[in-house]
Amino acid sequence: MTATTTGLIVPAPEGAPFTPRSLAERARGLAADPGEWLLRVRLDPRGRWYERVHQDADHEIWLISWLPGQSTGFHDHGGSAGAFAVALGTLEEQRVNAARRIGTARGVGAGQAHSFGPGYVHDVRNTSDAPAVSVHVYSPPLSAMRRYDVDAGGALVRLADESAADW
């Protein structure tokens, strides 16, 4: 069975609910198939370009393009688990540790994926000199996100709450 939204063909899940690992597999699989998404990608110097390419009751899939210097800022995904896979280029992810302090940054290259559970806080950015494209999968579909800043002592400060109506 196949579910389709905005023309993108997405094989329907089989069996168990989505786990972070299965979300990463889905993101990696779609990222490895540029014929499904390459013509959709736009590069926008004003900010990251993104498009929700699939949504059903269980999960949603987003395609995001990044020019050098563009980033998400620190954020979480509310009660959703998620994963992202880099399709083209390289991104950098900076995680927040259990003490709510900024952790070390790590590179995520083409073909690599990273998954996470609900409440995970991170910043994703393009620190390279070339554009990048990534595929993001969330389950359940995003209903809320929180944005954060970092204070002078390196601790997170909650800035804003967003709902699905905001994006």
Side-chain angles (χ1 to χ4, degrees):
M1 185 168 128
T2 301
T4 307
T5 301
T6 64
L8 185 69
I9 298 172
V10 179
E14 296 178 17
F18 290 103
T19 63
R21 177 178 285 183
S22 64
L23 293 171
E25 290 169 6
R26 246 167 127 59
R28 191 179 297 111
L30 188 55
D33 189 5
E36 285 294 326
W37 51 262
L38 186 60
L39 294 178
R40 294 172 174 278
V41 173
R42 304 291 177 264
L43 301 174
D44 188 343
R46 295 169 295 169
R48 291 173 301 119
W49 169 89
Y50 49 89
E51 178 183 345
R52 181 188 294 132
V53 295
H54 174 84
Q55 182 177 26
D56 62 29
D58 298 319
H59 73 295
E60 66 183 354
I61 301 172
W62 292 80
L63 183 62
I64 302 177
S65 70
W66 314 72
L67 287 174
Q70 293 177 341
S71 69
T72 61
F74 285 100
H75 67 285
D76 68 27
H77 304 93
S80 297
F84 70 95
V86 176
L88 295 171
T90 302
L91 295 173
E92 181 179 276
E93 179 191 36
Q94 189 161 33
R95 298 178 281 180
V96 173
N97 65 28
R100 307 298 274 181
R101 297 285 185 186
I102 306 307
T104 58
R106 67 178 185 153
V108 184
Q112 295 179 318
H114 178 65
S115 61
F116 45 87
Y120 181 82
V121 179
H122 66 164
D123 173 37
V124 180
R125 60 184 56 239
N126 183 352
T127 59
S128 77
D129 294 330
V133 177
S134 55
V135 176
H136 301 246
V137 184
Y138 304 103
S139 181
L142 294 173
S143 61
M145 291 177 66
R146 289 175 289 273
R147 302 249 170 226
Y148 301 88
D149 200 357
V150 180
D151 70 15
L156 282 184
V157 176
R158 192 159 152 180
L159 291 179
D161 292 13
E162 298 176 358
S163 70
D166 297 320
W167 60 83

